[in-house]
Amino acid sequence: MTDLSVGPGRVRRPRYDRDHPRYKWIALTNTTLGVLLTAVNSSILLISLPAIFRGVGMNPLDASNVGYLLWMLMGYLLATAVLVVMFGRLGDIFGRVRIYNLGFAVFAVCAVALSIDPGHGTAGALWIIVWRIVQGVGGAMLTANSSAILTDAFPANQRGTALGINMVAAVAGSFLGLLIGGVLSEWDWRAVFWVSVPIAVIGAVWSYRSLHEVGIRTEGRLDWAGTITFGLGLTALLTGITYGIQPYGGHATGWTSPFVLGSVLGGLLLLVAFCVVETRVAQPMFDLALFRIRAFGLGNFANLMASIGRGGMQFMLIIWLQGIWLPLHGYDFESTPLWAGIYMLPLTVGFLAAGPLSGWLSDRYGSRPFTTGGALITGATFIALLIIPVDFDYRLFALIILVNGLGSGLFFSPNTAAIMSSVPAAERGAASGMRGTLFNGGNALSMGIFFSLMVAGLAAGLPDALDAGLRDQGVSASAAAEVAATPPVASMFAAFLGFNPVEELLGPTGELTAPGVHADTLTGQEFFPNLLTGPFHTGLVVVFLTAAAMMLLAAIASWFGAEKPVLDEETLDTEVEVPVPAR
């Protein structure tokens, strides 16, 4: 242990330095807590939104409210994806631990603010959106520097294990967030935010007391031109994709809207401008030269593809369980969030079983067999989910998502270790930020991409199925046509939020009390889920085939991207002979 006394010839030093055998484990446990906290909060609202919408008094079938729902989900992911590279660069300049510690403090303040939402209706929704965005800033600070802190603290022969555990926490947290959100939202919707308060406070105090800088700090300044063009470009792109889900001008989606097209095109142009800027500034935020390192470039491409595919699967499974399977099996719509989280547990179990083991094995056998094999296994499970019926036998469903979790666990830990070990030590903060941007950006993109694909699939069959089904139950032709004309996105989000849209839509028409109308059937548990089954499966085919193709691309990139890691500086000093010029 390092001497803490101060006297003649002595300087007060941290309790543990890098060479102390305990420091690396302290860094691992604290950063794992940090990324777990950020990951849980990235998904906890997915499953608890039904309770939150009821709590703040928002109607999910009101088309104007779809935007609030999307920004509750997207605000946190967007802020994290946009800012993670900037905070990685700031970590390289001012100290990775310093930025990381500040992230814990920001996260704690936002958790308190979210848990005391004073508003109702629109005001309550805006309060959540604004503070979730600020909380995403804290999440970006934590995410951007956690991998770099571990890479600094661990030697190369243990780095895969450490980064694997950290990455397991990051991905498993998104699965655990579904279960935690379902359980807590049954108690009180504000409890979804309360849970982060003690964890963030404990983590902040612990990190300030135990972590210290052991990495290489780079002299420099922030690249404002790159930061602004990147932030505006990614924000515009994700905003356009988000609003592309909503109906426009009689179309099921908004992809013909000038605003959506302008946002997407403008965002892409700004990102191109960002790439140009980064090749010309002296100290770029996003060192594009790192992508010339094959393991870094292809590893990050695989990371992006896998993140999009995994994120899309989460959304689809939640809609599948909450909107169709659970109501068909006797669960009340209001209780479906809790049970959806419980029934998705095999996914989490599979990931937790494979993640740490694959990180440890990749230290010994290299990352290629695990990243490639994991991506292929995950892609195969997407195909398997298409083969089973929508009203499935749960044992078969559980087996498929268990294998999916195993495949994801095999992929993500070695992928992270391969990316971080491929860059020089002085670039680790920026590299960690780049990897985090693509990981979080992939999650955000998956929401827009897969929701749009699902809405397109529903639009092809749901209106006709709804019109015919309502008429069969005695509803007048005019009322049935009016309800069937409701944008499919409204019905999808109603199912996503655990509402029975038929009861909500027919109530104002007076049809439920009209003679000859089978009101009990229309408002029961099975009518809407049965109607949704056929059109939903059509959407699933498009969604999961796309996700499987992304996992295939991730596997190909992983196979060709594997190469030896960059040696540590101390390894270079002791193992590499430097020729001495002759005098």
Side-chain angles (χ1 to χ4, degrees):
M1 184 176 294
T2 306
D3 193 350
L4 295 177
S5 61
V6 178
R10 293 186 177 182
V11 179
R12 182 179 295 275
R13 298 175 61 193
R15 180 178 176 85
Y16 300 116
D17 58 23
R18 177 182 178 176
D19 296 327
H20 195 286
R22 293 186 185 177
Y23 178 74
K24 59 187 177 184
W25 303 115
I26 292 171
L28 176 60
T29 50
N30 188 275
T31 56
T32 298
L33 178 66
V35 297
L36 182 65
L37 180 65
T38 61
V40 165
N41 277 271
S42 72
S43 65
I44 197 168
L45 259 65
L46 274 175
I47 208 143
S48 53
L49 273 175
I52 293 173
F53 255 58
R54 292 187 181 97
V56 299
M58 301 286 283
N59 180 7
L61 292 176
D62 186 341
S64 63
N65 288 340
V66 173
Y68 293 112
L69 181 147
L70 289 172
W71 279 108
M72 284 184 188
L73 296 174
M74 291 285 292
Y76 179 90
L77 294 174
L78 179 61
T80 303
V82 167
L83 296 174
V84 72
V85 175
M86 183 186 76
F87 286 124
R89 177 61 178 155
L90 287 174
D92 285 340
I93 297 172
F94 299 107
R96 294 151 192 170
V97 170
R98 179 180 296 178
I99 302 299
Y100 176 85
N101 290 345
L102 182 59
F104 253 133
V106 171
F107 213 99
V109 171
C110 293
V112 173
L114 283 163
S115 65
I116 56 172
D117 185 351
H120 189 74
T122 301
L126 288 174
W127 178 277
I128 293 173
I129 291 169
V130 170
W131 282 106
R132 282 281 290 176
I133 291 173
V134 180
Q135 191 177 51
V137 175
M141 293 178 179
L142 293 170
T143 303
N145 291 283
S146 60
S147 296
I149 289 171
L150 285 182
T151 308
D152 289 335
F154 277 83
N157 65 339
Q158 293 181 324
R159 196 170 291 152
T161 302
L163 289 169
I165 293 172
N166 203 245
M167 194 61 198
V168 165
V171 181
S174 65
F175 297 143
L176 291 172
L178 303 177
L179 177 61
I180 295 170
V183 172
L184 293 180
S185 62
E186 283 285 297
W187 173 34
D188 190 299
W189 68 270
R190 289 184 175 86
V192 173
F193 304 114
W194 293 340
V195 68
S196 295
V197 176
I199 299 174
V201 171
I202 292 170
V205 173
W206 183 20
S207 65
Y208 271 103
R209 289 179 59 87
S210 63
L211 298 182
H212 55 269
E213 303 291 350
V214 297
I216 296 174
R217 191 179 299 183
T218 306
E219 294 289 337
R221 59 185 179 181
L222 189 62
D223 169 23
W224 285 109
T227 300
I228 292 171
T229 52
F230 179 78
L232 291 177
L234 189 57
T235 300
L237 177 62
L238 291 177
T239 298
I241 292 174
T242 299
Y243 282 98
I245 300 171
Q246 301 184 51
Y248 173 79
H251 298 280
T253 61
W255 289 103
T256 57
S257 164
F259 172 77
V260 170
L261 294 176
S263 296
V264 172
L265 181 60
L268 291 173
L269 289 175
L270 282 169
L271 291 175
V272 171
F274 163 75
C275 293
V276 174
V277 168
E278 296 303 273
T279 61
R280 298 187 177 183
V281 297
Q283 297 177 2
M285 174 189 75
F286 213 113
D287 188 358
L288 298 179
L290 290 178
F291 286 96
R292 296 175 185 171
I293 302 171
R294 188 175 63 183
F296 184 82
L298 291 179
N300 271 301
F301 176 77
N303 171 40
L304 176 63
M305 292 294 100
S307 296
I308 295 175
R310 182 186 62 85
M313 179 200 66
Q314 278 190 336
F315 304 136
M316 294 307 110
L317 292 186
I318 291 170
I319 296 172
W320 194 346
L321 288 170
Q322 291 187 183
I324 299 177
W325 193 83
L326 287 168
L328 286 177
H329 288 258
Y331 293 87
D332 294 334
F333 277 98
E334 293 185 359
S335 67
T336 55
L338 169 63
W339 288 102
I342 292 172
Y343 279 117
M344 287 177 68
L345 269 177
L347 189 66
T348 307
V349 171
F351 188 86
L352 290 176
L357 181 61
S358 66
W360 179 77
L361 289 173
S362 69
D363 284 336
R364 287 151 178 77
Y365 303 107
S367 63
R368 176 182 286 169
F370 304 100
T371 52
T372 305
L376 290 175
I377 290 171
T378 305
T381 60
F382 291 148
I383 303 300
L385 286 169
L386 292 178
I387 297 173
I388 64 174
V390 175
D391 187 11
F392 49 76
D393 181 332
Y394 178 72
R395 291 170 296 182
L396 181 58
F397 177 81
L399 177 62
I400 293 173
I401 63 173
L402 173 67
V403 176
N404 183 282
L406 291 170
S408 295
L410 287 173
F411 173 83
F412 277 106
S413 299
N415 172 260
T416 302
I419 291 171
M420 292 303 300
S421 296
S422 68
V423 299
E427 300 282 356
R428 285 171 185 163
S432 178
M434 294 179 200
R435 188 203 62 79
T437 291
L438 294 172
F439 179 76
N440 291 299
N443 287 333
L445 283 169
S446 68
M447 187 178 301
I449 292 171
F450 288 106
F451 275 166
S452 292
L453 292 173
M454 177 55 70
V455 169
L458 290 176
L462 183 59
D464 290 341
L466 193 55
D467 183 66
L470 291 173
R471 293 190 189 197
D472 288 344
Q473 299 303 320
V475 176
S476 66
S478 59
E482 180 182 347
V483 172
T486 303
V489 68
S491 296
M492 184 181 71
F493 277 118
F496 182 57
L497 293 172
F499 285 81
N500 184 342
V502 176
E503 184 175 3
E504 298 284 338
L505 292 170
L506 278 180
T509 67
E511 289 287 324
L512 292 177
T513 57
V517 174
H518 303 146
D520 290 342
T521 299
L522 291 170
T523 60
Q525 292 287 119
E526 298 184 6
F527 177 75
F528 180 69
N530 276 321
L531 277 183
L532 193 60
T533 296
F536 181 77
H537 191 267
T538 301
L540 273 186
V541 170
V542 179
V543 165
F544 282 140
L545 283 179
T546 303
M550 289 179 174
M551 296 311 301
L552 178 60
L553 291 174
I556 294 171
S558 297
W559 179 263
F560 288 104
E563 61 182 32
K564 293 181 180 180
V566 172
L567 294 175
D568 289 340
E569 285 72 16
E570 64 270 20
T571 306
L572 287 171
D573 291 340
T574 58
E575 296 184 6
V576 178
E577 294 184 1
V578 180
V580 179
R583 294 184 180 179

